[in-house]
């Protein structure tokens, strides 16, 4: 490969890694029938005039395998936190006990499992789109370098390298989706 034209594959890989990291965070928020503090991470509360992560308005605990509690620090925020949880689409019905919001995790029925599987598939597709966008940026860099005088052989080498990187990350997304769907469907 020519030293005159270097495509920053490390940057492309780092950005694709970011898409995978985001996917893992989204998957952590999907419930699988067990209580987990991470399931509340994507929930944003309308607090003090802006959207705030739930863990910045209260303490999230898992006292039992099928229960999550949120101890809201500011009593005036309890209603907003409860509303954010109800509207989050997690399918959990919050119960108030003073400033503590209890979230009993119900057993997942077959229909809800399939629904969560579809949500996981949507998250995975978003990650694939992100990876493909990074690939497109890499290919654009290569085209620009070709217009600036890169040889056709070098262009093919770089395109192959970017495509291999893309295929690797799309494969990782597919594996992560398969694992998550198996976890969701497990009774």
């Amino acid at each position: 490969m020519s030293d005159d034209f270097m495509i920053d594959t490390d940057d492309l890989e780092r950005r694709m890694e970011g898409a995978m990291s985001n996917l893992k965070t989204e998957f952590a928020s999907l419930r699988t029938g067990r209580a987990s503090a991470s399931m509340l991470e994507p929930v944003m509360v309308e607090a003090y005039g802006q959207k705030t992560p739930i863990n910045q308005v209260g303490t999230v605990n898992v006292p039992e395998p099928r229960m999550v509690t949120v101890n809201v620090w500011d009593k005036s925020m309890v209603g907003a936190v409860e509303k954010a949880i109800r509207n989050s689409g997690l399918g959990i019905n919050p119960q108030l006990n003073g400033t503590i919001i209890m979230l009993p995790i119900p057993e997942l029925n077959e229909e809800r499992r399939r629904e969560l599987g579809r949500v996981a598939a949507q998250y995975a597709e978003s990650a694939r789109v992100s990876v493909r966008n990074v690939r497109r940026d890499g290919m654009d860099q290569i085209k620009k370098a070709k217009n600036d005088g890169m040889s056709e052989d070098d262009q093919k080498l770089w395109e192959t390298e970017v495509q291999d990187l893309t295929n690797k990350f799309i494969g990782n997304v597919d594996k992560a989706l398969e694992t998550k769907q198996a976890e969701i469907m497990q009774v």
Side-chain angles (χ1 to χ4, degrees):
M1 287 183 225
S2 171
D3 292 336
D4 299 342
F5 300 102
M6 290 300 294
I7 306 301
D8 190 359
T9 54
D10 289 343
D11 178 55
L12 298 177
E13 187 168 6
R14 182 185 52 75
R15 289 170 56 200
M16 289 181 185
E17 216 34 87
M20 277 303 296
S21 172
N22 188 40
L23 178 66
K24 286 183 176 118
T25 302
E26 287 176 326
F27 277 176
S29 73
L30 285 178
R31 6 192 232 104
T32 56
R34 288 183 299 271
S36 162
S38 64
M39 65 194 288
L40 294 177
E41 281 179 9
V43 178
M44 300 298 268
V45 179
E46 187 65 43
Y48 313 114
Q50 63 187 20
K51 294 272 187 202
T52 309
I54 200 163
N55 62 1
Q56 291 183 12
V57 295
T59 308
V60 180
N61 290 314
V62 183
E64 302 170 23
R66 304 193 68 70
M67 175 75 72
V68 177
T69 61
V70 181
N71 189 354
V72 183
W73 301 319
D74 183 352
K75 198 171 189 169
S76 66
M77 294 302 304
V78 173
V81 172
E82 180 188 18
K83 182 180 176 191
I85 293 168
R86 276 190 205 284
N87 297 337
S88 68
L90 289 173
I92 300 173
N93 193 19
Q95 300 170 354
L96 290 175
N97 183 2
T99 59
I100 296 176
I101 299 172
M102 295 181 295
L103 307 168
I105 310 299
E107 275 290 333
L108 291 176
N109 60 22
E110 186 68 22
E111 183 182 333
R112 183 68 177 145
R113 287 178 195 280
R114 291 190 195 288
E115 194 178 307
L116 287 173
R118 285 191 291 274
V119 171
Q122 289 171 346
Y123 288 162
E125 185 55 33
S126 294
R128 284 189 208 101
V129 168
S130 296
V131 168
R132 289 187 198 116
N133 287 340
V134 174
R135 174 193 175 275
R136 187 192 61 227
D137 292 347
M139 292 301 189
D140 289 348
Q141 287 177 25
I142 294 167
K143 281 182 189 152
K144 185 177 180 306
K146 176 150 177 30
N147 291 339
D148 292 344
M150 177 190 273
S151 73
E152 211 164 296
D153 288 344
D154 284 347
Q155 178 190 4
K156 294 283 184 232
L157 284 170
W158 284 110
E159 284 177 352
T160 301
E161 191 168 325
V162 170
Q163 188 59 50
D164 289 347
L165 194 61
T166 303
N167 292 344
K168 175 182 136 191
F169 278 95
I170 295 287
N172 290 348
V173 168
D174 292 341
K175 260 187 253 158
L177 174 62
E178 205 174 289
T179 303
K180 187 63 179 182
Q181 284 182 326
E183 190 180 308
I184 289 169
M185 295 311 280
Q186 186 178 38
V187 178

